[in-house]
Amino acid sequence: MLSGNYIFSWPFVLLVVVSFLGLVLSALLFRIRKSSSAIFLGIWTLASSIWSVTYAFEYAATDVALKIFWSKLSYFGIAFCPVSFFFFTLAFSSRNKLIQKKYIYILYGWSVLYVISALTNDWHHLHWRFVDIYPELHTTEYEYGPLFWVFYIVTYTFLIAGIVNLYFLLFRFSSRYKSQISNFILATIIPVVGNLMYVFNCNPVPGFDWTPLGFIASGFFLSINMFRYRVFDLIPFARNKLFDVMPDAVLVIDKTGKIADCNPALLALSGLNEKGVIGKTWDNLFPSWDLSTSCDDAEHLLHFTVESIDDSEKSYFAVQCIPLFDDNKRFSGNLINIRNISMEKKAENELCAANERLLQEIAEKEMLIVDLDAFAHTVAHDLKNMLGAIIMSGDLLTHSIETSNKKEAEEILDLIKLSSRKTLHVTHELLLLASVRQQEIRTNALDMSKIVGEAIQRNYNLIEEKGAELKQPKEYIASSGYAPWIEEVWVNYISNAIKYGGERPVIEFGSEKLEDDRVKYWVKDNGNGVPLGKQGLLFHKFTRLENIKVEGHGLGLSIVRRIVEKLGGTVGVESSAVPGEGALFYFILPIK
């Protein structure tokens, strides 16, 4: 059909209809815009639609000037199709590093230059040297210049690079997706085949350029399949959600040990940007880490934990190193996953500490059971005797009062007082034993001379009774502890030294600084000493040094041991068991 300077034929109608459908598709793609692949596919179909409708009018035009006019306008689509196709394949294959603003500006800038080259051809004739019409076909005949061939080669470079991007996806995804990707690759070849048919005249419609229709058909095919298989959701999820958004730090190192890729979590962990990470060795990113195990050239799976100390805070990371191999089973690098396990490690340490405390409490309770068992065999008998003596003395006292025997009554009262004091003393030591086990105290510097003086004063009656001679140093070496408890230690040691000393007890006191910042204090008597076989029992069971002639119930030394151990020290006895040389009882306390 002829209308003015245009011949409207079925190819014209086909190009216009397909162009309209392409505009609708591009509008739909821009509307969903959930991923960069949808955006670039929308630009691709829009450019193809522009190319298709302008080529329709160029094909229908019968005047050379009109054909040149529409041909120039068609470059607004021609120039942007291959670049958009290339960016679409990058986005679809998740090669997001190349989809940066600077690369987008550069490549679309190249498209603009392509358009300018065609629009300004009348000035330089480097794009077309000659344009004419085939009389029989009414199609355009071009004699192309050097700029056209430059842009033509670059255009095919983009097309081939995009097809290669899709081709390599066949090796990245499972067989479930390979058939879909194969269909995508076949779809991208359609415009190439159409262009080759036009260039080499292998054409069912002589002189007709199938390239714009091929681009639109390819866009339709890709869009239908992507909507059908929901690839707009699949690819961003596979790349962004499982790599970019995952909380664990992930990096890929090549076989030389250099970082080739990483996710945002790794950048946040290292405190560096991507430029400061890529190309570096991964262990140099974390100088505070104690890396006794390295993932470089690790051709087998590795699991290990690293420790980091930053600002006096200790952190722990679980590192998993997975070897990567190419299709020929050659080692090509490692995938490293780093997970912060500080919370788990802290909970584990707290659990271990709680377990240690529990074991310690169990051990203490077992010791207490042993002590109480020994106490039951010694102290209970003494308490029974003392209470029995008090009761019996009460009966005798009643009889003495009835018979008005004053002297006998006074003797019985003295016996009651003595038994009561012994009972009170046992009760006091039992309460002290309980407080040592349960009470939490704060240690301080000790004024040992004052403490010893008060302990001596508490034993004054016993010292006077026995006529004991005390030999003290001019001063005592300072240490740390809890004064009321240490006074009980000295009271026990002094009373034992007087009881087990010679006929006229001579008691020596002293202190000595040890090499490990501790102080040793001692009390030495001049008695018969302690046999070697009994020395190990004195502080662990409720035993008396002797069972005859000397008062006591065996509770004091056990209390001494508990007090000193609670304060971080130790106790002991030194004796050669030679009469007259006596025994030296000591306890050791930390200076601080």
Side-chain angles (χ1 to χ4, degrees), residues 61-129:
T62 59
D63 180 76
V64 173
L66 282 176
K67 284 186 177 293
I68 293 175
F69 171 75
W70 288 110
S71 179
K72 288 180 179 180
L73 292 182
S74 68
Y75 276 87
F76 283 96
I78 295 172
F80 289 92
C81 268
V83 174
S84 300
F85 167 73
F86 176 68
F87 277 124
F88 163 76
T89 60
L90 289 177
F92 186 77
S93 58
S94 298
R95 301 183 66 182
N96 294 343
K97 288 184 181 179
L98 298 177
I99 307 177
Q100 299 182 21
K101 287 185 178 180
K102 60 180 180 180
Y103 298 131
I104 294 174
Y105 292 152
I106 291 173
L107 295 188
Y108 277 118
W110 172 88
S111 300
V112 173
L113 291 177
Y114 197 179
V115 175
I116 293 173
S117 170
L119 295 178
T120 60
N121 185 72
D122 295 341
W123 298 347
H124 51 74
H125 298 286
L126 296 176
H127 202 84
W128 304 300
R129 292 178 178 174

Side-chain angles (χ1 to χ4, degrees), residues 425-537:
H425 185 65
V426 171
T427 305
H428 170 74
E429 290 192 331
L430 287 175
L431 291 174
L432 180 60
L433 180 65
S435 68
V436 170
R437 180 177 176 273
Q438 298 176 3
Q439 185 178 352
E440 294 297 329
I441 49 86
R442 173 175 298 203
T443 60
N444 298 290
L446 299 174
D447 185 352
M448 198 59 75
S449 296
K450 180 179 178 182
I451 294 173
V452 174
E454 291 178 353
I456 292 173
Q457 186 63 33
R458 287 174 58 182
N459 282 287
Y460 178 78
N461 291 335
L462 184 61
I463 294 171
E464 288 294 318
E465 179 185 343
K466 296 289 186 176
E469 179 184 354
L470 306 183
K471 296 181 178 180
Q472 294 193 69
K474 293 182 179 180
E475 61 181 1
Y476 293 89
I477 300 174
S479 64
S480 64
Y482 183 56
W485 287 359
I486 297 301
E487 183 179 325
E488 295 295 334
V489 173
W490 283 110
V491 167
N492 273 279
Y493 275 0
I494 293 170
S495 64
N496 280 338
I498 295 172
K499 292 175 184 177
Y500 299 102
E503 290 297 328
R504 185 175 183 277
V506 178
I507 313 302
E508 297 182 16
F509 299 77
S511 65
E512 175 188 357
K513 184 177 180 181
L514 304 180
E515 294 180 354
D516 54 354
D517 287 335
R518 297 191 302 167
V519 180
K520 178 180 179 181
Y521 301 96
W522 72 82
V523 175
K524 186 178 184 305
D525 62 63
N526 61 336
N528 294 330
V530 182
L532 294 177
K534 294 184 178 181
Q535 291 179 11
L537 304 176

Side-chain angles (χ1 to χ4, degrees), residues 201-334:
N201 293 319
C202 301
N203 203 331
V205 181
F208 184 76
D209 188 357
W210 295 91
T211 309
L213 288 177
F215 268 108
I216 293 181
S218 178
F220 268 106
F221 185 84
L222 287 173
S223 299
I224 291 172
N225 279 275
M226 293 179 79
F227 281 114
R228 176 184 176 188
Y229 296 113
R230 299 185 63 83
V231 181
F232 285 125
D233 298 330
L234 170 65
I235 297 302
F237 179 77
R239 175 59 168 82
N240 298 332
K241 300 302 181 185
L242 292 183
F243 190 74
D244 288 348
V245 186
M246 64 187 307
D248 291 353
V250 179
L251 63 148
V252 179
I253 58 175
D254 58 26
K255 58 185 178 182
T256 65
K258 301 295 180 62
I259 298 176
D261 196 7
C262 65
N263 69 341
L266 187 280
L267 300 180
L269 181 62
S270 65
L272 301 173
N273 56 27
E274 191 169 350
K275 291 182 179 180
V277 172
I278 302 301
K280 301 291 183 64
T281 57
W282 84 279
D283 50 351
N284 289 335
L285 297 180
F286 310 106
S288 63
W289 287 19
D290 179 17
L291 288 172
S292 57
T293 305
S294 176
C295 285
D296 298 349
D297 297 328
E299 299 189 23
H300 56 280
L301 188 65
L302 291 177
H303 295 273
F304 57 93
T305 302
V306 295
E307 181 180 309
S308 171
I309 300 178
D310 295 315
D311 299 328
S312 300
E313 183 177 352
K314 188 176 292 187
S315 301
Y316 298 90
F317 297 89
V319 180
Q320 183 182 45
C321 186
I322 304 171
L324 303 175
F325 300 90
D326 59 19
D327 294 336
N328 296 321
K329 308 298 182 182
R330 291 189 299 248
F331 175 74
S332 58
N334 295 96

Side-chain angles (χ1 to χ4, degrees), residues 353-427:
N355 187 53
E356 289 181 2
R357 289 194 300 270
L358 180 60
L359 292 175
Q360 183 178 357
E361 289 180 3
I362 292 174
E364 289 180 356
K365 289 180 178 179
E366 289 178 348
M367 291 175 60
L368 181 61
I369 291 172
V370 173
D371 290 345
L372 290 177
D373 183 62
F375 172 76
H377 289 82
T378 56
V379 178
H381 184 267
D382 286 347
L383 284 174
K384 179 182 177 182
N385 290 339
M386 286 182 285
L387 291 173
I390 292 173
I391 295 171
M392 184 182 65
S393 298
D395 294 337
L396 292 175
L397 181 60
T398 302
H399 180 267
S400 297
I401 293 174
E402 290 176 351
T403 58
S404 299
N405 190 341
K406 183 178 179 182
K407 182 177 180 181
E408 183 179 274
E410 290 177 351
E411 291 177 353
I412 293 173
L413 284 174
D414 290 339
L415 179 60
I416 292 174
K417 291 178 182 178
L418 178 62
S419 297
S420 299
R421 282 198 299 269
K422 289 181 179 180
T423 305
L424 183 62
H425 185 65
V426 171
T427 305

